[in-house]
Amino acid sequence: MDVYRTIVTKRDTRDYEERTIADDVLRRILQAGRMAGSSKNEQPITAIVVRDGEQKAALADCGDFTAHLPTSPLVVVIVRTEGSRPFDAGRTAQNMMVAAHSWGIASCPVGIQHDDRAREVLGLPADQIVAMAVTFGYPTGGRPQARGESRMPVDSYAHWERWGQREP
Ligand SMILES: Cc1cc2nc3c(=O)[nH]c(=O)nc-3n(C[C@H](O)[C@H](O)[C@H](O)COP(=O)(O)O)c2cc1C
């Protein structure tokens, strides 16, 4: 798949096969995240790999829309240093998800709303914040399952020169 096709066919998928993600593939997912640029190259983002069943269940209790998290073979929690820009975490997560998709691995970002609980489960130091959890796995049926939700048309998405001005 070329890069453009990988990006535009990526769908957030929550049903995975039990199949484990091999360690070398996991390392490449981490590498894809690590290589995301950050403001002033401050590198405020780190990742916690969660594969243990009890740890996944505990993490699922830290978010409100986490039903699929315990059955995901791999969860990567994106952590950011206090004071860093959320944009850095977004770049990291998307790098990981797009790279994984190019290898046939589906994924889904998962919000962690209960920060205090997550902090305890993950043993985070005071200056570290959970930005997002991301689940990964080989999709059941062999391909990502879109929920059928579309995106806004590009003519609504893009403003030209100023807000509200449409393509000339
Ligand atoms: C910031 C953010 C938080 C999200 N949180 C959750 C979540 O907690 N649980 C979940 O199942 N999906 C979550 N999603 C996935 C969205 O539901 C998904 O991106 C959206 O429905 C588009 O899905 P599609 O790419 O399959 O069309 C989240 C996505 C983003 C960007």
Side-chain angles (χ1 to χ4, degrees), residues 10-12 14 65 68 108-111 132 146 149 151:
K10 199 276 182 229
R11 280 297 171 277
D12 293 337
R14 300 163 183 82
F65 306 99
H68 72 286
C108 186
V110 180
M132 184 63 60
E149 292 162 2
R151 301 290 195 265

Side-chain angles (χ1 to χ4, degrees), residues 52-68:
D52 174 76
E54 281 182 22
Q55 191 69 340
K56 282 190 278 187
L59 193 58
D61 281 338
C62 302
D64 294 332
F65 306 99
T66 58
H68 72 286

Side-chain angles (χ1 to χ4, degrees), residues 10-168:
K10 199 276 182 229
R11 280 297 171 277
D12 293 337
T13 297
R14 300 163 183 82
D15 295 320
Y16 308 118
E17 294 177 356
E18 276 179 31
R19 183 176 161 194
T20 307
I21 294 174
D23 285 347
D24 61 324
V25 179
L26 167 57
R27 279 207 85 82
R28 292 180 75 193
I29 292 173
L30 295 173
Q31 166 72 349
R34 186 179 74 96
M35 287 309 295
S38 58
S39 174
K40 299 178 187 160
N41 197 31
E42 281 174 352
Q43 305 183 54
I45 308 296
T46 54
I48 302 177
V49 175
V50 177
R51 294 187 290 192
D52 174 76
E54 281 182 22
Q55 191 69 340
K56 282 190 278 187
L59 193 58
D61 281 338
C62 302
D64 294 332
F65 306 99
T66 58
H68 72 286
L69 195 150
T71 55
S72 309
L74 168 67
V75 183
V76 177
V77 182
I78 311 291
V79 178
R80 68 182 184 92
T81 304
E82 203 173 52
S84 64
R85 290 160 186 75
F87 186 80
D88 293 337
R91 290 189 77 183
T92 300
Q94 188 72 3
N95 268 14
M96 289 184 181
M97 292 191 289
V98 169
H101 177 43
S102 77
W103 307 318
I105 297 167
S107 58
C108 186
V110 180
I112 300 297
Q113 287 82 7
H114 308 288
D115 188 62
D116 286 354
R117 235 180 277 166
R119 181 169 293 288
E120 199 178 314
V121 168
L122 298 166
L124 289 188
D127 66 340
Q128 299 298 313
I129 304 161
V130 173
M132 184 63 60
V134 184
T135 57
F136 292 90
Y138 290 93
T140 51
R143 61 192 174 87
Q145 299 101 27
R147 281 178 167 172
E149 292 162 2
S150 59
R151 301 290 195 265
M152 69 172 82
V154 72
D155 287 341
S156 308
Y157 181 78
H159 306 256
W160 291 71
E161 313 303 345
R162 289 172 62 83
W163 178 269
Q165 283 186 187
R166 297 304 173 193
E167 187 174 8

